[in-house]
Amino acid sequence: MAGKTLRIPSRTARAAAAAACAALALAACGSTKDAAGGKGGGEGKVGVVLPLLTSPFWQSYNDYVPKMAKSEGVDALKTVNSNSDPSQQITDINNQLNQGVKGLVVAPLDSAAIAAGLDQAERKGVPVVTVDVAPDKGKVAMVVRANNTAYGQKACEYLGKTVKSGKVVQIMGDLASVNGRERSEAFRTCVRKNYPDLKVLEIPAKWESDTAAAKLDTLLNANPDIKGIYLQAGGVYLAPTLQTLKSKGMLKKTGEQGHIAIVSNDGIPQEFDAIRKGQIDATVSQPADSYAKYAMDYIKAAMNGKTFKPGPTDHDSTIVKLPNGMLEDQLPAPLVTQANVDDPKLWGNTVK
């Protein structure tokens, strides 16, 4: 887990916890380990559907999936890449269901469009855990995700304290995704409320690197006095942003005259290197390792017929009930700066 030491209960402790849950007739005990019922767990193949593989973040998550499936005792099929196409993702889900999977772990591309795939799974009695994105509607056993509103707030607070006044840019994600909407609105609202001397300029980029680069280039031509940038996805926006700034002679290191403060989201190794070099100032570390681990944990429990309820977990997070009635395990996502970028507990420091 990013920035935390995992506390893995012993087999005996898990069995005891499961027995306690049964004795109290609870739906769950706020712990995926307890809910999984100890040794055994769900049986059958699990399909894993990815949104894309052009981002280092999703490449890392993809690498973690088979490792975490093995450690959690889940029989996961080879991952399927929907290649940034929401309609393809529905096809991928249907293909997995036709292969007879007993559980699905899906990272939705579109919060609304994914409902068609969730409906197909429900009709076949196949539980689904979604990762990173909460669907607008449909039935899921759990949403495994960090608090994306906090991402926008943390970026706003860092830039607000660093820049003080002037123009700042947020390069937004796809607004068809709840992630893009929550990060954008949180950043916008936080600036308006707490930092009135900042003026926010926005670039809708739909998680596309080429779009981000082209629109940033145009924006900088008209606004060469930009003081700060918020990248909602470092995995796709970091490289084109740095390249664009460099091409205009605007890439200055932290502490240098004319440095543009940059806060990102993802926590990939490339962002950490950029922080160390003084090219960017901070990033919010999305827990790619914990996304994979707890997705497997929850799908195993759901295949066993377990359900969950809001409350604290045994892994330093909280399960919350969303407005649409879904449950979401909000995993920790720490802010990373030069002060803690070398922390060995951060997942971005454990991968090459």
Side-chain angles (χ1 to χ4, degrees):
M1 185 160 59
K4 298 286 185 181
T5 301
L6 289 172
R7 296 182 285 108
I8 308 298
S10 68
R11 183 176 298 173
T12 302
R14 293 198 299 269
C21 287
L24 293 173
L26 293 174
C29 289
S31 161
T32 57
K33 286 295 181 185
D34 294 343
K39 185 177 179 180
E43 295 181 356
K45 300 285 185 181
V46 171
V48 182
V49 180
L50 308 176
L52 53 101
L53 276 174
T54 53
S55 162
F57 176 83
W58 288 110
Q59 292 165 7
S60 295
Y61 170 80
N62 186 48
D63 290 340
Y64 278 121
V65 165
K67 300 173 186 176
M68 296 303 182
K70 182 178 180 181
S71 68
E72 298 303 308
V74 173
D75 188 5
L77 297 176
K78 183 178 180 181
T79 57
V80 177
N81 174 22
S82 298
N83 201 27
S84 300
D85 185 343
S87 61
Q88 180 60 47
Q89 189 161 72
I90 303 306
T91 300
D92 292 337
I93 290 173
N94 287 333
N95 288 341
Q96 296 284 291
L97 292 171
N98 289 336
Q99 291 182 47
V101 297
K102 301 301 182 182
L104 276 170
V105 173
V106 182
L109 280 160
D110 185 305
S111 296
I114 195 63
L118 298 180
D119 288 346
Q120 291 283 3
E122 184 178 9
R123 280 194 285 269
K124 290 181 177 290
V126 174
V128 180
V129 168
T130 64
V131 173
D132 184 55
V133 171
D136 289 343
K137 61 181 180 179
K139 182 179 180 180
V140 297
M142 182 65 69
V143 179
V144 176
R145 184 172 176 249
N147 185 339
N148 279 247
T149 295
Y151 290 3
Q153 290 173 341
K154 289 178 181 180
C156 158
E157 290 166 1
Y158 189 92
L159 287 179
K161 294 174 183 177
T162 304
V163 175
K164 307 296 185 184
S165 65
K167 299 174 183 176
V168 296
V169 181
Q170 67 162 333
I171 303 181
M172 300 185 291
D174 192 341
L175 299 182
S177 160
V178 67
N179 289 9
R181 296 196 299 268
E182 287 187 355
R183 296 178 199 187
S184 299
E185 183 57 30
F187 183 83
R188 190 183 301 129
T189 301
C190 171
V191 170
R192 184 169 58 247
K193 180 179 179 181
N194 302 309
Y195 305 101
D197 292 332
L198 295 182
K199 179 180 179 181
V200 178
L201 306 178
E202 298 183 336
I203 295 176
K206 298 176 68 175
W207 313 125
E208 296 171 355
S209 58
D210 291 346
T211 300
K215 291 187 175 182
L216 179 61
D217 184 83
T218 300
L219 185 145
L220 290 173
N221 288 338
N223 301 273
D225 54 345
I226 291 297
K227 300 291 183 63
I229 301 175
Y230 168 37
L231 309 177
Q232 288 190 9
V236 289
Y237 297 155
L238 177 67
T241 296
L242 296 181
Q243 184 176 0
T244 300
L245 292 175
K246 184 177 181 180
S247 70
K248 293 181 172 299
M250 300 174 72
L251 185 59
K252 309 292 184 181
K253 292 183 179 180
T254 52
E256 291 183 353
Q257 185 69 27
H259 170 70
I260 296 175
I262 300 175
V263 182
S264 189
N265 286 164
D266 271 351
I268 58 176
Q270 292 89 334
E271 288 172 307
F272 289 4
D273 288 343
I275 291 173
R276 295 183 183 104
K277 294 175 181 177
Q279 295 173 327
I280 73 172
D281 299 66
T283 186
V284 178
S285 177
Q286 287 198 92
D289 53 348
S290 294
Y291 277 5
K293 174 180 174 56
Y294 293 108
M296 294 301 155
D297 214 352
Y298 280 115
I299 197 62
K300 180 178 179 179
M303 289 164 63
N304 237 4
K306 306 299 181 181
T307 56
F308 313 96
K309 65 178 183 179
T313 71
D314 61 355
H315 47 271
D316 300 320
S317 67
T318 302
I319 297 174
V320 299
K321 189 172 184 178
L322 302 177
N324 62 10
M326 294 180 185
L327 294 179
E328 176 176 290
D329 188 352
Q330 295 190 336
L331 300 175
L335 182 72
V336 182
T337 66
Q338 287 187 348
N340 64 335
V341 69
D342 293 321
D343 186 342
K345 296 176 184 177
L346 294 168
W347 75 265
N349 286 324
T350 67
V351 297
K352 295 183 180 179

